[in-house]
Structure formats: structure tokens, C-alpha cells
Amino acid sequence: MASGRLPLIVLSHGTGGTFAAHIDTAVALADAGYVVAAISHPADNADDTSGFGTPAQLVDRVHDLSRLIDHMTSSWRGAGQVDQERIGAFGFSAGGYTVLTAMGGRPGYARLPTHCRDHALDAVCEPMMKRWNSMLQVQAPMPDRRIKAAVVAAPGLGFLFDAASLRKRAPDIQLWQAEQDEVLLHRFHAQAVANGLGAAADVRLVNAAGHYAFLAPCPEHLAKALPAICADAPSFDRESFHRHFNAEVIQFFTRRLTTGGANRPE
């Protein structure tokens, strides 16, 4: 993969995250011969969460990802080295929603009020229901047809997606679920996505993993400062898991982004 033009992978972090949230996965992909670009989503990052729970967040994140691809394939100094027919995306949590939508998943925002009326304790409901009237007016962003394959981990807002739209791209999607996800309950989020994708998708369930298990292993100083996102169950070794996880992500992208390997969306 090191000769000729190189495939591109773009990364979308979760709510309140940063471009560095998946640094080990990004480095592993780069070492494997991919061009890798990560973004800190405006108004939804560690320094600025002003967009959290707003209708704009749901749409702007997808536009952010497309603008990142625009930059990497046109104005970036190494754009000429990027194979524009081999572009993939990685997304975690809200980034999973972002990538699924960019892949052509159709979120039905009108489902939100009913869902939150019936499941008020779902973590996404409190911030979003403050603006539910606005949510009903949101127009789903257009998919980015340049993205040929995607890996999503612990995706949020799975209950919003139209199953048929997910199933259409199922062979091009690898989904990772955390068995002990304490932030986004399976049945509403990752499992809802898995159900929509059906049997054609590559779905993985990670035993004993919590929601944040897909973030890069934390150095000691960060583990002390942010135990909520760095601590794992005693039976779960994040460093060991990430060696396996990164290898599987690379293998999936390599398989799907070979010439003619990815399904071309209509």
C-alpha cells in the first residue's frame, strides 16, 4: 500500500472530544500506509461544547467531515498523493452517528420526541428535548458519496436511523459495540444500528468494555485527571484490546478499500 496514491481515513470524535481522542488508532492506520486526518468538531469539542444537544450539531458534524475530505483531497499540500476512490471514515459515539449519516444512513429526527417520552432516562434526551420543536425542523444532511467504507464504535442516536438506509451500506460498515456501555444503552443506540444493518455488516461485541473503551489508552497523568473516561472494568485491558482493535480496523479498511472492493452507493 506504500506505493502510488494512498487511501484516506477521516476520524470523527465523540461529543466533547478532540482530534486526538483516537490517536493510537490513527497512528496504526498511518503506519499501515493510510493518510489519516482527524478533526475537532467546532462547538462540540473539549474546549467548546456550546453546540451540544442542538439541531445544528446533528447536521454540522456531517458537513465538518465533508469539509475535511475536501481539504485533504484539494488544498492540503499532499492532496496529490490521496486516492480519491479509496476514502474511509472512523467514528466514535456522536462520531458514529456522524459517519453513519455521511455514509447514507437516514436519521428521522421526528422520532426523537416519542423516543424520549418513552425513555426519558436515555442520556441523549435531556439536552435534545430542550429543543425538540427545532429538532422536528431539521433536514438530514446529504451523504458524502466519497466515503466507501466506515468503522463505527459505540455509535449514538441509533434509534433515529431508517433501517433500510443502513442495510443498503451494510457490507461497507464495521460496527463495534461495548458490552457494558454505561453511557449509550445498547438497545437504543449500537444495537439499534446493528439491527438496521442486518447480517451483512461486520458487527463486533467487546466483552466487559465500557463506552469509553474505544478511546486511546490513557497515559498516567490523564488517567488521574479524567477517571470517568480512562477507567475500565478490572477484567478489561484497554491496551491489549486496542492492539486487537486497531489490527481489525486496518484489516477491514484494507479489505473494503481495495480497487473494486467497496460497494458503490447509488
Side-chain angles (χ1 to χ4, degrees):
M1 196 182 290
S3 61
R5 293 192 174 188
L6 303 175
L8 168 68
I9 307 295
V10 292
L11 276 64
S12 176
H13 62 74
T15 295
T18 75
F19 69 90
H22 305 280
I23 188 169
D24 69 309
T25 302
V27 169
L29 284 162
D31 285 345
Y34 291 85
V35 176
V36 184
I39 188 171
S40 287
H41 288 281
D44 185 12
N45 59 69
D47 296 318
D48 178 8
T49 59
S50 60
F52 177 56
T54 67
Q57 179 194 27
L58 300 178
V59 175
D60 290 352
R61 275 179 151 270
V62 182
H63 294 162
D64 296 340
L65 205 63
S66 289
R67 285 192 291 268
L68 178 59
I69 295 173
D70 291 343
H71 172 72
M72 295 302 296
T73 57
S74 58
S75 55
W76 179 55
R77 66 180 182 277
Q81 300 175 46
V82 174
D83 186 341
Q84 299 192 29
E85 294 301 314
R86 292 193 292 161
I87 297 176
F90 172 94
F92 164 70
S93 196
Y97 157 85
T98 303
V99 167
L100 288 169
T101 305
M103 283 284 286
R106 290 195 301 273
Y109 302 115
R111 295 187 180 98
L112 186 69
T114 301
H115 171 82
C116 289
R117 181 194 64 209
D118 296 340
H119 308 288
L121 295 181
D122 187 352
V124 303
C125 287
E126 182 179 359
M128 289 191 172
M129 285 304 291
K130 293 176 182 177
R131 306 173 176 87
W132 76 272
N133 283 321
S134 298
M135 292 291 181
L136 297 179
Q137 308 304 317
V138 175
Q139 296 295 316
M142 294 296 293
D144 192 320
R145 303 298 185 186
R146 295 171 295 182
I147 301 174
K148 303 302 194 298
V151 174
V152 293
L157 299 173
F159 64 89
L160 290 182
F161 286 101
D162 170 71
S165 67
L166 292 177
R167 195 162 288 122
K168 187 175 182 180
R169 298 302 308 274
D172 303 321
I173 295 172
Q174 183 178 73
L175 170 67
W176 292 79
Q177 300 173 270
E179 181 189 39
Q180 303 297 330
D181 197 322
E182 72 287 8
V183 177
L184 300 176
L185 298 179
H186 272 195
R187 65 185 184 275
F188 304 142
H189 300 280
Q191 188 58 49
V193 172
N195 293 344
L197 289 170
D202 182 354
V203 178
R204 312 291 183 94
L205 178 65
V206 185
N207 294 331
H211 183 71
Y212 298 109
F214 301 103
L215 298 179
C218 298
E220 186 175 353
H221 73 279
L222 190 60
K224 291 180 179 178
L226 297 171
I229 66 171
C230 292
D232 297 297
S235 60
F236 185 80
D237 183 335
R238 194 181 298 196
E239 289 191 7
S240 176
F241 165 64
H242 271 248
R243 287 192 289 272
H244 167 73
F245 175 64
N246 293 339
E248 291 295 305
V249 168
I250 290 167
Q251 186 178 74
F252 175 79
F253 278 131
T254 300
R255 184 169 65 249
R256 299 310 303 167
L257 295 178
T258 54
T259 303
N263 289 350
R264 299 300 187 252
E266 295 176 0

